Amino acid sequence: MSACAVLTGGGRNVKVSAETARVIREKAKELNYEPNLLGRGLRTSKTDTIGVVLEHLTTFGEEPYYYQQLLDGIMLALFPHGYSLSLSPTLVQSGGRVRISNGRFDGILWCSPDLIETSIESAKSLRMPVVMVHAPVEVALGLPTFAADNDHAMERIVSHLAGLGHRRIGFVVKRHVSVSVEARARMSAFLKAAETMGVMAEILFWEYDAKDLDRYASNSSPHSALVAFNDVHAGHILSRAMELGIRVPDDLSVVGFDSSSLCERTQPRLTSIHQPIERIARDATECLLRLIDADPKSISGIRYDSKLYDCRLDIRDSTAAPTPHRRGH
């Protein structure tokens, strides 16, 4: 106990002589001993680390643009306050066991939650602050949530396409992504906007290879415009269209979501909704830090500090009026 107190600077009630302290430090240096900071954190109830849950994360490879902006926003808020972050692909493990409630973190930033039953119960049971990113306010279980205004975003997309003359539009999303609350909100908003504007709409579950695009190479293509869940998926559609000889936007209009730097490098340049990802992530992280530092009496007010972010439509070269002879228009 005395040695630990000397090396960590704690244990004010433990007294040792200066000579004993010197010997302890020299021996620790000789043995390359480092104090256990996790153990010290357990004593102080503070780890200076937050957990960032990125649902179903396996690699940044396919979608580096989104993750770069997200992590930039988180780090801009965290690092000046001396915090670190740790990534986790899910809130709960198989069998419903909570993955991250073992005292390693001061709080949780839960990104793109799927809100399955086990994760809902886990969120309720966590004994630490939780802030959600990309979750609609109405499904956030009373937790702070920061997300794009998907309803108005989809209204802008469908209005733009309908204004060009498109009457059959598909929304493209990967099936495993479609279980997230953000994807469900975006799909619902798309269908609602299409119904309001008298446009026929369909949800399409496509992988990134976009093999289903083969049907669009003929004059009987089922849709004259496709809206992708994100820019990366839209980029794959553009690449596949080029391989099949489908001219974008003459034969098919394509719209993305995020308006990342990728949009300026695709052929043609991609029309896309601009989602302020970095700002969303930074605001959410700052809210989490306020919860961590808050006096218990003021926490209730911060818990409902949620925000929706307006998203503009950046019109580029991948959308145009449909070709009259193509039946999908």
Side-chain angles (χ1 to χ4, degrees), residues 12-318:
R12 294 182 181 178
N13 295 326
V14 178
K15 304 297 183 181
V16 299
S17 67
E19 178 60 20
T20 300
R22 182 188 66 78
V23 171
I24 290 172
R25 292 190 180 98
E26 287 184 355
K27 181 57 69 172
K29 184 176 181 181
E30 178 184 332
L31 297 173
N32 293 318
Y33 172 81
E34 293 288 343
N36 189 321
L37 297 181
L38 179 58
R40 184 165 64 186
L42 292 174
R43 288 191 298 275
T44 62
S45 300
K46 198 79 159 47
T47 67
D48 292 328
T49 302
I50 72 161
V52 179
V53 178
L54 295 171
E55 290 283 355
H56 311 296
L57 173 69
T58 55
T59 176
F60 290 163
E62 285 281 16
E63 301 175 29
Y65 313 96
Y66 165 80
Y67 287 117
Q68 177 182 334
Q69 294 178 75
L70 181 79
L71 291 174
D72 279 351
I74 295 172
M75 292 185 294
L76 283 170
L78 277 186
F79 290 175
H81 297 279
Y83 275 83
S84 299
L85 62 89
S86 180
L87 299 180
S88 176
T90 183
L91 187 68
V92 295
Q93 295 175 323
S94 59
R97 185 165 61 88
V98 179
R99 183 186 182 94
I100 52 181
S101 63
N102 58 3
R104 288 183 293 163
F105 309 122
D106 294 336
I108 298 296
L109 202 64
W110 193 7
C111 302
S112 300
D114 56 21
L115 289 187
I116 59 176
E117 185 176 352
T118 50
S119 63
I120 292 174
E121 293 305 314
S122 298
K124 291 179 179 178
S125 66
L126 286 175
R127 297 181 179 179
M128 68 184 84
V130 178
V131 173
M132 288 185 172
V133 179
H134 301 317
V137 174
E138 64 271 15
V139 297
L141 311 173
L143 302 174
T145 182
F146 295 77
D149 188 340
N150 288 298
D151 286 344
H152 285 112
M154 285 300 156
E155 286 176 7
R156 287 187 170 95
I157 291 175
V158 177
S159 177
H160 169 64
L161 293 173
L164 291 172
H166 294 276
R167 292 295 175 264
R168 294 180 64 89
I169 305 172
F171 182 88
V172 182
V173 61
K174 294 180 72 173
R175 188 170 292 278
H176 87 272
V177 172
S178 68
V179 301
S180 72
V181 290
E182 181 184 38
R184 281 182 273 170
R186 208 168 285 176
M187 290 186 290
S188 176
F190 168 74
L191 294 174
K192 180 181 177 182
E195 181 180 9
T196 299
M197 298 177 198
V199 173
M200 296 187 67
E202 185 179 1
I203 304 298
L204 307 171
F205 299 105
W206 290 7
E207 295 303 311
Y208 277 162
D209 56 24
K211 290 181 178 179
D212 300 82
L213 201 60
D214 294 20
R215 293 183 297 161
Y216 294 75
S218 68
N219 288 338
S220 59
S221 58
H223 310 95
S224 63
L226 296 176
V227 180
F229 176 77
N230 59 27
D231 291 343
V232 175
H233 208 159
H236 282 283
I237 292 172
L238 293 178
S239 297
R240 181 63 177 159
M242 186 177 295
E243 293 173 1
L244 296 170
I246 300 171
R247 300 170 301 166
V248 177
D250 296 337
D251 299 330
L252 179 71
S253 287
V254 179
V255 180
F257 203 109
D258 288 340
S259 200
S260 63
S261 58
L262 174 66
C263 298
E264 294 293 336
R265 299 198 295 274
T266 58
Q267 294 294 328
R269 297 184 315 136
L270 181 64
T271 294
S272 183
I273 282 287
H274 177 267
Q275 179 182 201
I277 299 170
E278 183 177 312
R279 181 183 169 199
I280 292 173
R282 185 171 185 173
D283 289 352
T285 307
E286 289 175 347
C287 176
L288 180 61
L289 293 178
R290 290 196 299 274
L291 281 170
I292 292 170
D293 294 334
D295 182 279
K297 296 180 181 179
S298 62
I299 284 181
S300 58
I302 304 174
R303 285 192 186 280
Y304 296 93
D305 190 14
S306 300
K307 187 172 182 180
L308 287 179
Y309 294 78
D310 189 45
C311 300
R312 70 176 186 265
L313 178 64
D314 292 337
I315 300 173
R316 298 185 179 91
D317 306 325
S318 65

